Amino acid sequence: MSSFGYSGTNAHVVMSEELDTEEPHPSNPSYLIALSARNRKQLEVQVKNILSFIEQRPDISITNVSYTLMIGRKQFRNRLAVIVKDLSELTIELTKWLEETKVIELKLVMVIQHL
């Protein structure tokens, strides 16, 4: 497509159909999923957000999830890291971590109440 202006200004645009550029990622035996937050509550929110995202997009690549969480993220004091083979294992491990966190908090509350 071309446009020629009266004052000598010309504009040209080349348009074509988008090519499928997504290449299959090589399969790795395991993937590191690392999270960090300023405090434990924020870490729990991140875990819940990732679980929700996986539930909404079960076709997402574990490679992409791992890469995105590792690159461009600021590291904070509270951290959680798991090594998994696939999304289903990631879901299991994160859910298990959330459940264990609730049990630990419940035990803390019970100890504080007994003092």
Side-chain angles (χ1 to χ4, degrees):
M1 181 183 325
S2 297
S3 175
F4 302 99
Y6 180 73
S7 66
T9 304
N10 300 329
H12 306 280
V13 177
V14 177
M15 298 171 52
S16 69
E17 189 174 329
E18 180 181 6
L19 301 175
D20 185 18
T21 58
E22 186 159 333
E23 297 176 14
H25 299 289
S27 182
N28 290 332
S30 58
Y31 299 90
L32 175 63
I33 305 296
L35 303 170
S36 70
R38 293 182 195 274
N39 59 50
R40 190 168 185 90
K41 289 290 183 196
Q42 288 179 345
L43 193 57
E44 287 178 35
V45 169
Q46 280 192 8
V47 169
K48 289 175 183 176
N49 287 343
I50 289 175
L51 288 171
S52 175
F53 180 76
I54 292 170
E55 186 178 309
Q56 293 171 10
R57 305 251 338 251
D59 59 330
I60 191 76
S61 163
I62 186 73
T63 303
N64 291 345
V65 173
S66 177
Y67 178 81
T68 300
L69 292 172
M70 293 295 295
I71 302 298
R73 302 276 178 169
K74 190 170 182 181
Q75 296 298 314
F76 294 104
R77 172 175 242 147
N78 293 275
R79 297 179 182 184
L80 170 65
V82 292
I83 297 174
V84 295
K85 291 181 229 167
D86 54 28
L87 286 177
S88 63
E89 188 177 3
L90 175 60
T91 301
I92 291 167
E93 291 299 321
L94 293 181
T95 302
K96 198 181 337 178
W97 183 83
L98 281 174
E99 290 170 359
E100 288 172 1
T101 300
K102 289 178 188 174
V103 169
I104 291 169
E105 287 177 0
L106 180 62
K107 286 180 181 178
L108 270 173
V109 169
M110 291 175 71
V111 168
I112 291 171
Q113 286 178 351
H114 285 27
L115 293 178

